[in-house]
Amino acid sequence: MHPRDQTIFALSSGRPPSAIAIVRLSGPMAESVIAGLTGKTPAPRMATRALLQDSNHQPIDDAVVLWFPGPASATGEDVAEFHVHGGRAVLSAMFDAIAKFENVRPAEPGEFTRRAFENGKLDLTEAEGLDDLIHADTDRQRRQALRQLKGLLGDRARDWRERIIAASALIEAGIDFSDEGDVPAELIAPALERIRALHDEIKQVLAGQGQSERLRDGLVVAIAGPPNVGKSTLINQLAKREVAIVSPHAGTTRDVIEVQLDLDGYPVTVIDTAGIRETSDPVEQEGVRRARARAAEADLVLWLADNGDAKAGHGGPTPTWLVRNKIDLVRTPPGEGGRHPEFRISAARGDGLSELIAALVGFAHDYFATSESGLISRTRQRGLLEETIGSLQRSIDVVEQGEELAAEELRRAATSLGRLLGRVDVEDILDVIFREFCVGK
Ligand code: GDP
Ligand code: ZN
């Protein structure tokens, strides 16, 4: 049996233990499993309370179950949902009981969404929006992802694609009707006009789109400076603040390398460059590798210096703020009139941190320049739109040399938009995109 015809299951909620966990199944065996575990097929789309029992009639859990016959389900297939108590033992008993059924297997990351996509429940830009929504940490990221999920980009792309096909039909109609291969000017002129309009429209959407992609990736701030100036102390202070949302890459339990801040809805990652160090732990290595790569392309450097240092600085093209630490030790700091902003803090005591954070919010504000109208949130999407306008431009350029050439470029433009929507694509590209998704999605 092809893996695609098998029934998949996964934990679709967070990691155990939790009060409630949702186990989801999709595929032809969904009904047999839900009926097998509960003793009957529940009414469609109704939350139903049921005692779950394994094949030996041993109770597993008292649960709420939902039965969604396809195609009116999230994936387009038969879907069953079990809302169980979210303990490890409950889940392990559930998984054992489910895996006993024939042709039922654990889902790959993103496999539910992939099935939804393959069954036409959403286009690829919407699938990407769904993934972004799950991973959104801040409110602005959430709103951006929601725009994608609602299909705003997909709708525009579908419209552009239809109009390209219409323009191409005009040109090709001319080719068919002309014996010498010369398309009448009455057909070419309006077609060119349409192509130019499309070209300008897509170009406009591409312009000023940097913010949306940035919003997805976040602003990166690196903390640098000589040893013992208080870099670790500062990042640990930031991690303790309310604005800190995650600190996923701790080098040791004590030292945070990277902390993600939610500054007024903007995602800001602060990295302690000195905390980046060699490690033999493979899990840690991955964190260190990522932190190093991100620090290398930081958008802002906080250069920490001892308050007593007369001079401190950091060259390079990246904007750099001088942050003088340990003001609790030296009462009269030396003045330095520089072109960079300067801050005086005590990382240990917390003095001056509010001012520093307020300035970071201001920087984030300018950096993201609040583009609420952003449609594009991924490099993949931008690349395909650039391809599209490239082909449109070429079709205008080559039309003099022959209408067939122009028609060929228009077909390319339509194909690029088809890729954007996920209509035209080779399997391995889809594999890459869906692998990024969470298991259970
Ligand atoms: P790093 O090497 O730059 O990461 O520096 P650390 O954060 O490890 O700090 C070096 C030492 O300076 C530690 O003993 C800290 O407790 C101390 N330290 C850090 N910030 C302050 C501060 O604001 N005031 C004082 N008095 N000591 C500090
Ligand atoms: Zn340190």
Side-chain angles (χ1 to χ4, degrees), residues 128-366:
E128 286 170 328
L130 179 61
D131 186 45
D132 287 347
L133 187 61
I134 294 162
H135 291 111
D137 289 323
T138 76
D139 209 44
R140 285 177 207 272
Q141 285 179 320
R142 176 183 63 75
R143 289 203 295 263
Q144 164 71 19
L146 212 52
R147 276 197 295 275
Q148 289 266 318
L149 182 55
K150 278 197 306 205
L152 294 195
L153 176 61
D155 289 347
R156 289 298 288 277
R158 263 185 293 277
D159 172 56
W160 290 328
R161 190 163 178 270
E162 277 162 24
R163 286 160 58 197
I164 289 173
I165 292 168
S168 153
L170 271 182
I171 289 185
E172 283 178 29
I175 298 172
D176 290 345
F177 281 110
S178 79
D179 293 337
E180 293 88 54
D182 263 353
V183 179
E186 312 91 78
L187 282 173
I188 288 294
L192 280 183
E193 204 170 297
R194 287 172 182 221
I195 297 166
R196 281 203 195 92
L198 274 161
H199 176 275
D200 294 350
E201 210 175 304
I202 300 175
K203 195 159 186 169
Q204 221 165 28
V205 167
L206 269 171
Q209 277 296 333
Q211 296 90 346
S212 312
E213 287 164 89
R214 283 177 178 181
L215 197 51
R216 182 170 178 265
D217 298 339
L219 167 69
V220 178
V221 177
I223 303 183
N228 285 320
V229 288
K231 296 183 294 297
S232 306
T233 311
L234 175 58
I235 199 160
N236 280 305
Q237 279 279 8
L238 290 172
K240 274 188 227 146
R241 295 255 158 167
E242 270 174 68
V243 288
I245 37 189
V246 249
S247 314
H249 304 302
T252 69
T253 45
R254 207 163 34 89
D255 270 353
V256 176
I257 300 180
E258 189 177 310
V259 55
Q260 307 216 353
L261 307 181
D262 176 346
L263 293 184
D264 196 25
Y266 297 115
V268 177
T269 304
V270 182
I271 299 169
D272 175 6
T273 54
I276 299 172
R277 58 177 173 278
E278 297 309 318
T279 167
S280 51
D281 177 347
V283 179
E284 246 183 68
Q285 267 171 357
E286 175 57 19
V288 166
R289 190 191 61 74
R290 275 192 33 187
R292 187 177 278 138
R294 304 195 70 181
E297 41 190 59
D299 304 293
L300 174 69
V301 174
L302 298 184
W303 183 265
L304 238 64
D306 226 298
N307 193 31
D309 289 351
K311 259 182 94 79
H314 171 76
T318 313
T320 302
W321 292 356
L322 177 61
V323 180
R324 293 191 178 280
N325 189 26
K326 309 193 187 181
I327 54 168
D328 53 308
L329 293 184
V330 179
R331 291 187 57 90
T332 47
E336 188 197 314
R339 55 198 174 93
H340 301 304
E342 200 176 311
F343 297 87
R344 290 163 205 280
I345 63 165
S346 168
R349 292 200 324 204
D351 305 354
L353 280 185
S354 313
E355 287 82 355
L356 182 61
I357 289 173
L360 285 172
V361 171
F363 187 87
H365 218 89
D366 294 345

Side-chain angles (χ1 to χ4, degrees), residues 20 28-30 85 94 112 197 222 250 300 363 382 424:
I20 290 172
M29 283 296 287
H85 294 98
M94 270 300 282
F112 286 94
L300 174 69
F363 187 87
R382 160 178 295 279
V424 189

